[in-house]
Amino acid sequence: MKHVVILGGGTAGTMVAHRLAEALPSREWALTVVDQDPVHYYQPGFLFIPFGIYTPRDVVKPRKALFPPEVRYIQSEIEAIEPDKNRVHLRGEPRTLSYDFLIIATGSHPRPDETPGLLGDAWHKTIFDFYTLEGATALHRALERFEKGRLVLNLVDMPIKCPVAPLEFLFLADWYFHERGIRQNVEIVYVTPLPGAFTKPRASQVLGGVLEERNIRIVPEFYVERVDPEKKVLISYEEEEVPFDLLVTVPIHYGSEAIKRSGIGDELNYVPTDKHTLKAREFDNIFVLGDATDTPASKAGSVAHFMVDVFVPNFLRYIEGLDLLPTFDGHSNCYIESGFGKAFLIDFNYETEPLPGMYPLPGVGPFSLLQESRINHWGKLLFRWIYWHVLLKGKHLPVPARMSMAGKWA
Amino acid sequence: MATKVIANKEVEVNDEGYLVNPDDWTEDIARAMAEELGIELTDRHWEVIRFVRNYYKEHGKSPTMHQISKGAGVPTKELFKLFPKGPAKKVARIAGVPKPEGCI
């Protein structure tokens, strides 16, 4: 009997558990998933909670129910991986798990504790995050009471998961205050360490003016060092200050602490991974999927999905003694909710930046690329159902895993 | 895109003066780029520059400020002293790698 252990039961871990359960004969292969949290979150839905579009009920399910019957689920914290002994130490029971192959899908995690002044008395009172269910829910209550003043959204530094979510938050905030009839009383400011809201040439060219049109002010190249919650200001490493009445922070993200304890991560606890085969660079029986990798792909659910799509057939070759094919191209695909019932869609990979055009999708599309449309918004809302019922279950979507140039204006 | 002679070598640079091809980089180019930015390179600068070049070679992407600070073991405040006004951006230019960017 061979044993595949999957660390992390999020988007990548759950999908790959289904795909491997389907592909590997259960008489010869045992599959185990370890995750400390009994709840699976539909993380893209967190964005909608502050604005009352989704409630917490829409974005949670018990994790256990999402695995196929062949898979053993262990709810436990991971202590550390011991790659030279092919085993994992857990904080719960059993204390150790041996593996023939290990799949690391431990994700990325916002770390407000890394920026002084965020966590404290003002946390979830005047300072909020929306990358956790608690933060998004607390922010919803605060926005309902917010009548006038300065709302500041601060991106601490890349990498973050769902890198377009800060932009979506700004668009939705503009729309939300508009609908409440108080937009003129609210100043919306985006403070970012990046040189602008858009940094890729074509996206800047096509979408460059969109924040200005919505009267959203941007403070670029601002590296926040600390926050003074009493004075209500962000302070940069160069001692510049930006005042706020309500601060929404997107903290820096780190990989799992278990990766750090194992001594196999980089400076932010991401695992060095071959960007085309998804094998851990240092180890021949460890693969890394989703946000846990250090690849230059976006940390996003669509990327986890495309990684799983190309990983499984490659893994089946590998266990037969064949070479891994360098098939993962960094494909990423996401809707950008822009408020007023519309959304953008972008589709890109390691080599090709987001381009305008049309995205063909049998049965539903085409969706417009780098351009606002109502159908993109419906696509985004429909996606929550697809996530729970199709994607996580490892069923195939009619979307190619590798990026296609069809419909794009190069 | 344009061609430019830096430190006696003809190289392609983009509109903002970053090298188009990181393989064109030489230590002399780094010195010339730093001079353009008003920075005189010390050993400490070189530690950061080497970290950034290695990071790019391994990851195919330029590191962010936090990655440089943690990875090269240089406190962020010091990075701002070494490369004032946007260390990630400036060291990328001197190290001959692209400016750190978002996904869109």
Side-chain angles (χ1 to χ4, degrees):
Chain A
M1 196 76 162
K2 292 207 164 161
H3 197 186
V4 179
V5 172
I6 301 166
L7 299 180
T11 308
T14 307
M15 278 184 72
V16 80
H18 276 274
R19 293 277 178 89
L20 291 180
E22 190 186 287
L24 298 170
S26 58
R27 277 175 287 112
E28 293 162 39
W29 290 85
L31 294 169
T32 302
V33 179
V34 183
D35 196 301
Q36 66 190 58
D37 193 333
V39 173
H40 185 114
Y41 300 97
Y42 174 57
Q43 296 184 65
F46 291 173
L47 169 74
F48 291 114
I49 288 177
F51 307 104
I53 302 167
Y54 285 170
T55 64
R57 237 181 29 186
D58 294 320
V59 300
V60 296
K61 284 199 181 192
R63 194 181 300 280
K64 203 171 179 1
L66 296 169
F67 298 114
E70 306 89 314
V71 170
R72 175 185 180 205
Y73 166 56
I74 298 173
Q75 190 199 323
S76 166
E77 272 186 72
I78 300 154
E79 174 60 36
I81 303 158
E82 245 186 315
D84 50 337
K85 300 218 167 80
N86 294 330
R87 66 187 184 196
V88 181
H89 295 280
L90 304 183
R91 290 189 170 169
E93 292 297 328
R95 297 306 263 193
T96 52
L97 277 176
S98 294
Y99 61 80
D100 295 284
F101 294 95
L102 183 70
I103 296 171
I104 298 176
T106 42
S108 62
H109 308 277
R111 293 288 297 271
D113 55 313
E114 288 287 316
T115 304
L118 287 179
L119 296 181
D121 291 344
W123 185 242
H124 293 177
K125 293 200 179 71
T126 47
I127 303 175
F128 299 86
D129 68 310
F130 68 95
Y131 272 63
T132 61
L133 186 57
E134 299 71 38
T137 311
L139 180 54
H140 173 54
R141 289 193 294 270
L143 286 181
E144 279 187 319
R145 291 192 305 267
F146 198 73
E147 297 297 332
K148 63 175 196 282
R150 200 165 209 257
L151 170 76
V152 171
L153 176 74
N154 176 225
L155 167 61
V156 173
D157 202 359
M158 299 293 283
I160 56 164
K161 52 187 148 190
C162 199
V164 296
L167 291 175
E168 296 183 280
F169 185 89
L170 295 166
F171 293 141
L172 285 174
D174 169 51
W175 175 57
Y176 171 84
F177 291 122
H178 229 278
E179 291 291 298
R180 282 183 52 198
I182 56 166
R183 180 65 181 91
Q184 69 282 5
N185 303 333
V186 180
E187 198 184 348
I188 303 178
V189 185
Y190 178 37
V191 180
T192 170
L194 294 171
F198 304 100
T199 55
K200 299 278 186 180
R202 289 298 286 278
S204 312
Q205 196 186 345
V206 180
L207 302 175
V210 70
L211 288 188
E212 213 169 54
E213 279 162 30
R214 290 169 192 232
N215 199 18
I216 297 166
R217 199 161 78 78
I218 177 160
V219 180
E221 298 190 1
F222 185 100
Y223 284 94
V224 68
E225 184 197 7
R226 61 188 195 279
V227 174
D228 186 332
E230 312 268 293
K231 270 176 71 189
K232 292 192 182 171
V233 285
L234 292 166
I235 302 156
S236 77
Y237 282 97
E238 296 174 291
E239 302 294 331
E240 300 148 324
E241 295 190 355
V242 174
F244 63 84
D245 292 304
L246 194 154
L247 172 63
V248 180
T249 177
V250 181
I252 183 153
H253 286 37
Y254 279 61
S256 162
E257 284 293 299
I259 299 303
K260 186 177 179 180
R261 287 192 289 270
S262 311
I264 59 166
D266 68 7
E267 57 286 337
L268 299 185
N269 308 344
Y270 296 113
V271 184
T273 306
D274 183 286
K275 68 177 188 173
H276 295 300
T277 66
L278 307 173
K279 187 177 80 57
R281 286 211 290 270
E282 306 282 321
F283 310 104
D284 285 337
N285 60 343
I286 301 181
F287 290 85
V288 196
L289 300 175
D291 292 0
T293 77
D294 75 334
T295 64
S298 290
K299 299 200 180 298
S302 67
V303 178
H305 163 204
F306 298 134
M307 281 178 169
V308 171
D309 273 355
V310 299
F311 163 73
V312 173
N314 227 353
F315 183 69
L316 298 179
R317 283 174 56 89
Y318 194 63
I319 58 177
E320 293 296 324
L322 298 170
D323 286 342
L324 291 167
L325 299 174
T327 29
F328 185 64
D329 67 350
H331 189 194
S332 178
N333 175 305
C334 56
Y335 293 107
I336 305 175
E337 188 66 19
S338 55
F340 300 92
K342 291 183 180 176
F344 296 95
L345 178 66
I346 54 173
D347 190 62
F348 57 100
N349 69 8
Y350 289 140
E351 310 298 331
T352 310
E353 63 172 309
L355 294 172
M358 297 303 278
Y359 186 79
L361 184 66
V364 197
F367 294 102
S368 49
L369 288 167
L370 264 189
Q371 197 191 351
E372 260 188 315
S373 72
R374 288 194 185 277
I375 185 170
N376 287 347
H377 166 68
W378 292 114
K380 175 128 187 162
L381 292 186
L382 177 68
F383 195 76
R384 181 170 63 98
W385 189 90
I386 294 175
Y387 181 84
W388 290 123
H389 299 278
V390 182
L391 198 74
L392 276 189
K393 300 283 167 75
K395 293 176 191 161
H396 290 270
L397 279 176
V399 179
R402 290 168 67 89
M403 200 202 75
S404 154
M405 284 303 288
K408 292 189 174 67
W409 306 333
Chain B
M1 307 278 174
T3 344
K4 194 174 163 187
V5 177
I6 309 175
N8 298 321
K9 192 174 169 186
E10 195 174 295
V11 290
E12 244 185 295
V13 293
N14 72 12
D15 302 343
E16 295 178 296
Y18 288 74
L19 286 192
V20 173
N21 182 2
D23 290 337
D24 286 346
W25 183 86
T26 63
E27 293 195 355
D28 284 338
I29 288 181
R31 280 184 205 101
M33 290 267 200
E35 202 175 320
E36 270 182 45
L37 296 169
I39 297 169
E40 199 183 321
L41 297 179
T42 64
D43 290 350
R44 197 67 167 157
H45 288 95
W46 281 107
E47 274 177 43
V48 178
I49 294 166
R50 287 197 191 100
F51 170 81
V52 169
R53 291 228 25 113
N54 282 336
Y55 187 97
Y56 184 81
K57 217 192 286 173
E58 263 184 43
H59 296 76
K61 191 174 190 173
S62 301
T64 65
M65 201 192 58
H66 278 79
Q67 285 161 334
I68 298 171
S69 170
K70 295 246 171 189
V74 179
T76 312
K77 280 272 188 199
E78 190 184 342
L79 277 180
F80 273 91
K81 288 211 183 83
L82 294 170
F83 304 94
K85 306 255 164 221
K89 188 178 76 169
K90 288 205 169 148
V91 71
R93 185 156 156 205
I94 297 169
V97 301
K99 187 163 79 173
E101 55 187 11
C103 74
I104 177 171

